[in-house]
Amino acid sequence: MATAPLATRPVPERIFNTLNAFQSTAALKTAFELDLFTAIAEGANQAATLAERVGAAERGVRILADYLAIQGFVTKEGGRYSLAQETAGFLDRRSPAYMGTLIGFLASDRHKQSFERLTDAVRAGGSVMPEADNRQPQDKMWVAFAKSMSPLTGPSAVFMAQLAGMQEQKPSKILDVAASHGMFGITFALQNPKAQIVALDWPAVLEVAKENARAAGVGDRVRLLPGSVFEADLGTDYDLVLLTNILHHFDKATNERLLERIHAALKPGGRAITLEFVPNEDRITPPTAAAFSLIMLTGTAAGDAYTFSEYEAMFKNVGFLKNTLYQLPAGAQQVVVSEKA
Amino acid sequence: MATAPLATRPVPERIFNTLNAFQSTAALKTAFELDLFTAIAEGANQAATLAERVGAAERGVRILADYLAIQGFVTKEGGRYSLAQETAGFLDRRSPAYMGTLIGFLASDRHKQSFERLTDAVRAGGSVMPEADNRQPQDKMWVAFAKSMSPLTGPSAVFMAQLAGMQEQKPSKILDVAASHGMFGITFALQNPKAQIVALDWPAVLEVAKENARAAGVGDRVRLLPGSVFEADLGTDYDLVLLTNILHHFDKATNERLLERIHAALKPGGRAITLEFVPNEDRITPPTAAAFSLIMLTGTAAGDAYTFSEYEAMFKNVGFLKNTLYQLPAGAQQVVVSEKA
């Protein structure tokens, strides 16, 4: 191939690639829908055999698989596709760490529609979607969340349980707020046979947690508490309260009302353990935690990816004594541990 | 910040980032729609002043601008935003190389909708959109293309004109097939005062080319030929025929019918100059050229990003003698020069 030495202006790769970025989300979603990665792992690794296996046209499958190779999800050698390491671990349906369920929430139509209205959300300063008030039950959305997002729980939940000393196996009464799939509380229960969990969420969502607790063999130690964290009788004398991915939905004043109730429910010396996207004070690092703000802009009335100093102020304002920030060793989230005097 | 040394499984960053990738397209589109980059360049460089300037909420603008900083489009220092170099060159409306018009086609609703039906397209082996037959005029789409895509023409058009020897300023009769905005032929006319251009496209599209030719001062050397390349009387004795981004729309047999007509219109020794996305034989490199196949899958009945050996076969089958592949020095596309005996 000849290359002529002609001077031209630079081509704006970042702009072009960003305008096309939505295509990669669509391609991965289609791969999930066709269960393409499992089919490749099971040996249907050329366009023709793969097409037959997933019930699609050879041209379509060849182009899709090539695109997934370009994106790094598969490798291609002599016309044969193989799964890249991360793909084999998380996107082969037979893997214990399978994450294909994530698309049920992260690439849902509702989520995408909220981004189609991003310009309106920027103008308004908050979500323009009808379901943006997260203080009301929205069964369809949150049941989908509970069913799809539990694969992301594993590493964070284990980290949090050890941070909270569960390996010491002392009796612990634990409130799991907005429990969703229940997997945070369930992980604490698995790490500590003397832990008793109260899982709070909307009734329809708790059905998912109940089934997960039963499947994990800790159904007798996970009590269901249906209702709103703003209204339910939370009980008292908790050693720990888990606040996983809930505070980002609300403005600061609403969070303080919520945290007042949590503070009252904890025993003296008890701790709230918050799992969140906590960007640095510059609000642009680390990238995934900081970028989470945009999802809160499109999806909530006034939620945010709050910085540690903002969380510290909210917790201190309702009486917590000390707050400590931890970075998850793997993953994009952070943990704040807040102690009651 | 403390980091506990706990072993956890790796977090699948590529999967998570790809599921979220569509958000970056939406954010850039919103920045265009609000003309955010021009506002920053003009000095409205903090969230509050920027919000006032673009008529949006401060919370919305702060979160959007932070997200664009995370993506590298702007920098942020002490709460003030500045344009990154590429952004200043291409996304400030006052720049001569402004590319904001690209969103009119690349991020159009129609284009995005075609990707929402990607799974159907993979199953069917071709576009499931109603406008997938590119042999018919589709004024709305192609006028939008002509109006939005000309900023991408510059470097490729200059490279092609020099490859074709326009700097020698010999009399040349040039057919610009599917001329669209006309900027390829116009660039040839600008490089060579003795070049005469015939611009072929649908009538509504040619209005855009006509205006661009007039603005470039070469209106008297750009003759408009309205119609279909498959049916129009193309004329004869051309020195050059420009085939820019047209052959990817069709299957090989259709392309050979088109190329037969081109071959007949060229004088002996004449050349066809094809600008295309031409991936290597592995079909997965270089990435942008190879990834273009997916756009052809969602948007056409049977088009493709053909390899050089596929183009070589099509051109040879209709009588062209010799084909040579060139890589554009800047940009994701390739050029094939095909000579008539």
Side-chain angles (χ1 to χ4, degrees), chain B residues 125-152:
Chain B
S127 179
V128 293
M129 301 296 283
E131 318 88 337
D133 181 358
N134 286 294
R135 288 166 303 182
Q136 304 304 318
Q138 289 143 15
D139 287 349
K140 194 178 163 197
M141 178 164 68
W142 293 122
V143 170
F145 182 96
K147 287 184 174 169
S148 77
M149 296 294 273
S150 64
L152 283 184

Side-chain angles (χ1 to χ4, degrees), chain A residues 201-221:
Chain A
D201 213 314
W202 307 115
V205 178
L206 283 180
E207 290 302 310
V208 182
K210 182 181 175 184
E211 171 54 26
N212 286 338
R214 190 201 59 73
V218 297
D220 58 328
R221 289 189 287 128

Side-chain angles (χ1 to χ4, degrees), chain A residues 6 9 14-15 18 22 25 30 33 57 59 62 71 76 86 90 119 123 125 151 162 282 303-304 325, chain B residues 1 6 9 14-15 18 22 25 30 33 57 59 62 71 76 86 119 123 125 151 162 282 303-304:
Chain A
L6 299 172
R9 70 182 184 201
R14 190 191 305 277
I15 298 165
T18 302
F22 74 96
T25 307
T30 289
E33 288 174 359
R59 172 178 181 253
R62 184 259 296 168
Q71 303 295 321
K76 184 184 184 187
E86 184 179 304
F90 298 109
T119 304
R123 289 203 174 104
Q162 297 193 20
D282 63 11
D304 213 335
L325 177 67
Chain B
M1 183 187 296
L6 298 170
R9 71 181 183 202
R14 190 191 304 275
I15 299 166
T18 303
F22 75 96
T25 307
T30 290
E33 289 174 357
R59 172 178 181 252
R62 184 259 297 168
Q71 303 294 320
K76 184 184 184 188
E86 184 180 305
T119 303
R123 289 202 175 106
Q162 297 194 18
D282 63 11
D304 212 336

